[in-house]
Amino acid sequence: RHVSHLDREAGDIASAASAADEAVAICRANGAAGALEFANALRLSALAHEMLADGVAPACWREARAAYGEAGIDVALKECSAWLGETSP
């Protein structure tokens, strides 16, 4: 997840997306990651895919919003909803 953030800041968006997607896959496979860790990985994936404009971001935002809801992070819920062009649930 942190590699994705660094890659995005360096302008290497393809690598950022790959690293974020790997972090999401690890969270899914591990099952031990908490909702917040999972949501943060999804958020970075969504941000990278937004920049790639490859159509993947909306699904990431929706899943991140659900995970942030589970974690009780209201400000992140609002960010996800804003990216989706929706109001917060």
Side-chain angles (χ1 to χ4, degrees):
R1 176 170 66 91
H2 299 289
V3 170
S4 174
H5 180 77
L6 293 171
D7 285 344
R8 191 168 46 86
E9 284 189 343
D12 188 352
I13 306 309
S15 292
S18 179
D21 292 345
E22 182 178 356
V24 169
I26 289 168
C27 287
R28 284 189 205 286
N30 182 336
L36 182 57
E37 179 68 25
F38 185 49
N40 286 338
L42 286 161
R43 178 183 176 272
L44 287 177
S45 182
L47 289 169
H49 286 287
E50 285 286 354
M51 296 177 85
L52 289 175
D54 60 5
V56 174
C60 294
W61 286 122
R62 283 190 291 278
E63 196 169 4
R65 182 173 59 187
Y68 281 126
E70 185 180 327
I73 310 296
D74 291 336
V75 69
L77 280 169
K78 290 177 183 175
E79 178 192 21
C80 294
S81 292
W83 277 101
L84 289 165
E86 302 171 359
T87 58
S88 296

